[in-house]
Amino acid sequence: MRAAVIQFPGSNCDRDMAVAIRDITGAETTLVWHRAGELPDGLDLIAIPGGFSYGDYLRSGAMAARSPVMQAVIKAAERGVPVLGVCNGFQILTEAGLLPGALMRNAGIRFVCRTVGLTVENNRSVFTNGYLADELVQIPVAHHDGNYFADSETLDRLEGEGRVAFRYAENVNGSARNIAGVLNAGGNVLGMMPHPERMTEAVHGGSDGRRLFEGLLRQIA
Amino acid sequence: MKTRIFVTLKNGVLDPQGKAIHHAIEGLGFSGVHDVRAGRLIEIEHEPGVSKADLEAMCTKLLANMVIENFEIEQA
């Protein structure tokens, strides 16, 4: 298995993501700088990590979504390569048009940084097959702009097509229909605000994030 | 030449920042304020030859997120 983690100026979960992928899946994992015009050959997974790319200038994820490497990420996603965006990565994927909707300022204005319960709504994707349907898992969030918005038609379509991957058990940020993570139509792009890479070992306080990477390995290897 | 671009949230999109500003205005003792919505002003200095179509494309491709925002272009 081969994986790439994209680094933007201001990414800060890039190394955590690379360590989680490498340790859990054994993938040969490359960090790719945002100015790269192309990605390494033969990738099985692309991860867009959390952080504050470009200092959240203009809108969270807006500048990163227009950087050169994202054209290559979009092409890879269109070919069916799994793309995982976590936190700022989710914001970047919506700004790049790979996922519908937008992540707005948290409804309570405050930065939310704690472990939250999530229900697994779709356990059939390449990312979520390590979980049971409707399972309640504990994964940390740390964001200011995690308030998922889409128009009601889009929300109905996402729900109807099973593209809501995770929902918050408690609505921590005002997200429409408690949505914490969504899939693209092809099921190979997942954006989620919670950080599975921060919940992969007992020392993290739990390992519910680990099964996302184990599930990826099972589907890809 | 200078163009001003106003980016605002679409009607119906909740604006937590506007709400917080509204509370702060009331906290300062001002009354009679019904609602506050926050937006963004972007000033662009450019050659006269930059077309309105190009300015609109800048807005739709980058300056506004058309899922949640509208924009208005004001040329001096």
Side-chain angles (χ1 to χ4, degrees):
Chain A
M1 182 170 162
R2 300 188 69 175
V5 177
I6 312 296
Q7 293 178 301
F8 301 95
S11 295
N12 63 15
C13 303
D14 39 342
R15 284 169 193 277
D16 288 9
M17 180 63 84
V19 167
I21 294 170
R22 200 177 285 140
D23 284 0
I24 299 167
T25 71
E28 181 190 325
T29 305
T30 314
L31 295 169
V32 177
W33 186 235
H34 71 119
R35 285 194 187 279
E38 48 193 71
L39 293 164
D41 285 335
L43 287 179
D44 302 298
L45 172 66
I46 299 167
I48 319 283
F52 298 88
S53 56
Y54 295 89
D56 283 348
Y57 290 174
L58 194 62
R59 298 176 301 275
S60 300
M63 312 300 287
R66 277 88 184 166
S67 57
V69 74
M70 286 307 294
Q71 288 309 312
V73 171
I74 290 167
K75 283 199 192 107
E78 284 166 355
R79 287 199 310 273
V81 176
V83 178
L84 170 66
V86 168
C87 198
N88 190 219
F90 185 11
Q91 295 160 345
I92 293 167
L93 291 176
T94 59
E95 282 283 346
L98 282 172
L99 291 171
L103 281 313
M104 301 185 56
R105 181 54 39 106
N106 292 346
I109 308 289
R110 287 198 176 86
F111 192 98
V112 180
C113 182
R114 62 189 172 91
T115 299
V116 297
L118 300 177
T119 55
V120 179
E121 296 289 316
N122 173 343
N123 73 333
R124 301 174 306 281
S125 78
V126 66
F127 306 97
T128 54
N129 66 83
Y131 300 102
L132 303 171
D134 302 321
E135 184 178 355
L136 180 67
V137 296
Q138 302 292 325
I139 311 255
V141 296
H143 60 248
H144 211 166
D145 295 321
N147 180 352
Y148 186 72
F149 175 88
D151 60 47
S152 52
E153 247 171 58
T154 304
L155 294 169
D156 288 345
R157 197 178 67 240
L158 289 173
E159 290 182 328
E161 294 174 357
R163 289 168 55 189
V164 176
F166 299 101
R167 274 189 228 267
Y168 300 106
E170 48 168 330
N171 198 329
V172 291
N173 53 25
S175 287
R177 303 189 194 176
N178 288 10
I179 289 173
V182 296
L183 292 156
N184 70 340
N188 66 306
V189 179
L190 170 67
M192 61 190 293
M193 290 311 296
H195 286 269
E197 81 283 6
R198 292 190 189 176
M199 209 52 147
T200 59
E201 301 171 31
V203 70
H204 293 159
S207 59
D208 280 348
R210 191 174 183 89
R211 282 182 288 153
L212 186 145
F213 299 97
E214 289 170 346
L216 271 166
L217 176 63
R218 199 160 32 241
Q219 295 261 313
I220 288 165
Chain B
M1 182 172 177
K2 186 188 274 185
T3 292
R4 300 185 353 139
I5 292 167
F6 296 90
V7 180
T8 51
L9 284 175
K10 286 182 177 173
N11 285 336
V13 175
L14 288 174
D15 178 9
Q17 292 176 99
K19 275 208 163 36
I21 295 166
H22 189 185
H23 284 304
I25 288 171
E26 288 176 336
L28 289 171
F30 296 103
S31 60
V33 175
H34 296 305
D35 192 25
V36 177
R37 291 175 74 76
R40 186 183 296 119
L41 164 64
I42 297 162
E43 293 184 332
I44 299 188
E45 290 276 358
H46 59 86
E47 298 292 327
V50 173
S51 68
K52 184 91 184 269
D54 277 347
L55 289 162
E56 282 178 4
M58 290 176 207
C59 290
T60 56
K61 287 185 176 180
L62 176 64
L63 302 178
N65 179 338
M66 301 309 291
V67 175
I68 48 173
E69 294 169 329
N70 289 321
F71 62 87
E72 266 178 67
I73 296 175
E74 180 192 277
Q75 290 189 301

